[in-house]
Structure formats: structure tokens, C-alpha cells
Amino acid sequence: MKIQAIKFRTNGFMTQAFAFGGEEGMEKFDSSVKYRSGLQNYLIDTGKEVILVDTGLSPDVPEENPNEKSVIYTGQNIKSYMDALTDLGYKPEQITKILITHKHSDHTGELKSFPKAEIYVNADECDADEIKNIPNIIPVHFTDGPYYNFPAHQKITDGIYYIKAPGHTKGNSIVIVENDGLFYLIHGDVTYTDEALYKNKLSIVYEDLPMARDTLNRIRNFVVSHPTVYLSTHTPLGYENLEQKRIVDLNNPPKTLPVGDITFKTKTGKYVCSVCGYVYDPEIGDPENGIMPGTAFEDISDDWICPRCRQPKFKFNPA
């Protein structure tokens, strides 16, 4: 069995306040402290099947252009998700199954590119806008009982387990792959950076805080008892852990490396939600919520929220 990272954005950042402030408040943390960010998803080749965990961003989502107020910047495009998949040596028709960690569009953006794959989604997420019109969805009800200290899971195939892990979204899930004595824990956004796992902190992005806390507790308890490689989506530590087969040791966190240089580009007037990838286009506006076409993002009231994921305006970055 082989696990690979599909890398499509790099050289981003997130602030400590964003990554740690979910329970105590952003003001309790230092926004000048930044951690590395990017975007990658994962592929599992069992020898018999090729399984994706999440499917990146749609190519029509523009790069963000961060400023001094940005709390997270997912980075510059390396290539499109589909090009990154091709560069690993795989074609869309080879993908047999897709396991979705949660509904946000940086995890579901290319689902329509895999019409022959079985797409497994927590049943609680199936009515989400990003998912509901996809015909090859298989709702998962987690009928296989507990998986170690997690209350509910569904076995996908030998060594691959899809586990109910709500909080970040109410239908959030994780994937654990057992291979050669190791447990590869693939998650979407239980934490945004591994430093938060080690510091036992939740990000400011969640739909249910008590559930998010319970999920993080269960993951931390799991890694104490099982040799676990922690595969994150929004930090290069995810693929670095994979490449090094680095096992989580909560008493010995990995070294925090500095954020690289950020390249600023010409702004388009559009803004991108840093949580779900929704693009606000001033030419279109948001008429369903009273924002008429032609309204600049700067002119929208500060209490406006993302129409897709309901996150506040300050989590948008210029594109």
C-alpha cells in the first residue's frame, strides 16, 4: 500500500490567533506569530484500488492576495489539483473511491471530475451545496461500530477506515490507514497546523465547538496509544510527516519553521473565503443576502457572512 500527497498550493501562512483561538479567543494569542500553510490532499494506492481523500480546489478559484489583516493564506498555486494528480501518474478513470473529510470546497472542488468513482460522504453532509448535486455520492452512516476510542466508523477496505469525527463541520470525518504497523491519520481541518495538535488548541473555524473539542481529545488520546503519522491538509508538515514516516510524540513537537517570502499580486476586486473557497465577485454581488451587483467588497457591512459556510467577512482575502 502506498500513500502520496497531492500538492497544489504552497508558501502560505496562518496566524497563531487563527490556529489556536477557537476556545480562548483570538485576542489571547499573538497574531504576529505565523505558521506555514499550503494545500494538499492524499491518495492511497492499495495495489487493487486507487482511493482519494478529498479532491482539492476547483481551478476557477483564484489565488488569494493576503494583506496585514489576513489570518490565513493558503498560498500560491503550484499547479491545479488535477495536474498534480496526473503528475503522480494517475488518471481520473483509475480512481475507484473518494473519501470526503468534509464539505468545504478546498476538499471537494474536483468531485465532478471523477464520475466513475464511488464518493463516500458522511450522511450529515450530503445536503451541502458542494455535494448535493453529485450523482455518485454514497452516504455513510458509520454502521461498523467503534474504532478504538472513536464511537463510529465504516470500514472501506482492508486497512482503510472512515471515521466519524464531527466538530469542524457537523459531518466532519477522518480517515485512518493501517499499514506496516503504522496508523496514518488523514484529516481535513481538525487542526490547521500540527502545532495546534501538540498545544491542544482548536482553530476559530468550527460548526460545533463541543464536538470539535471531543474529536481533538479523541485524536490526542489515540496517538498516545498508537504509532500515528498525522497527515494534515493545510500545513506542509502533512506531507513532511508522510515522507519521513514521522510518528506523533506529543511531548516532542516538530520544530516550527519560518514562513517563506510571500509574493503579492495585482488584486482583481474579487475576494475569497479562506475557509471554504467561496468567491465574492463584485460584478455579481450576493443578491440573496441584499448585496446588489456592483457592490465592492469593502462596501459590504462588517456583519455580512459567507453565503456558503457562514463565516465572518474578516476571513476573506483579496484575490
Side-chain angles (χ1 to χ4, degrees), residues 94-115:
Q94 292 177 267
I95 306 305
T96 55
K97 292 182 173 69
I98 300 173
L99 311 179
I100 297 301
T101 63
H102 65 287
K103 61 190 177 184
H104 291 157
S105 62
D106 51 342
H107 301 262
T108 58
E110 286 283 15
L111 285 181
K112 292 181 180 178
S113 297
F114 302 94

Side-chain angles (χ1 to χ4, degrees), residues 9 11-15 18 26 34 37-39 57 61-76 106 192 204 234 262-282 297-298 300 304 306 309 311-319:
R9 279 193 177 179
N11 201 29
F13 66 84
M14 68 188 78
T15 66
F18 172 89
M26 295 179 69
K34 292 182 172 63
S37 184
L39 277 173
L57 279 166
V61 176
E63 287 188 26
E64 302 158 69
N65 192 342
N67 57 38
E68 67 281 356
K69 295 181 180 179
S70 299
V71 296
I72 183 171
Y73 165 53
T74 57
Q76 305 160 352
D106 51 342
Y192 275 77
I204 64 172
H234 285 281
I262 306 299
T263 301
F264 295 89
K265 298 184 177 182
T266 302
K267 298 179 181 180
T268 63
K270 299 177 182 179
Y271 277 70
V272 182
C273 178
S274 61
V275 174
C276 76
Y278 171 84
V279 179
Y280 177 80
D281 185 340
F297 186 82
E298 293 81 0
I300 299 174
W304 178 80
C306 175
C309 70
Q311 295 295 318
K313 181 182 176 184
F314 78 86
K315 292 182 185 174
F316 278 71
N317 284 326

Side-chain angles (χ1 to χ4, degrees), residues 72-84:
I72 183 171
Y73 165 53
T74 57
Q76 305 160 352
N77 290 334
I78 305 171
K79 57 191 72 174
S80 72
Y81 174 87
M82 296 303 292
D83 284 345

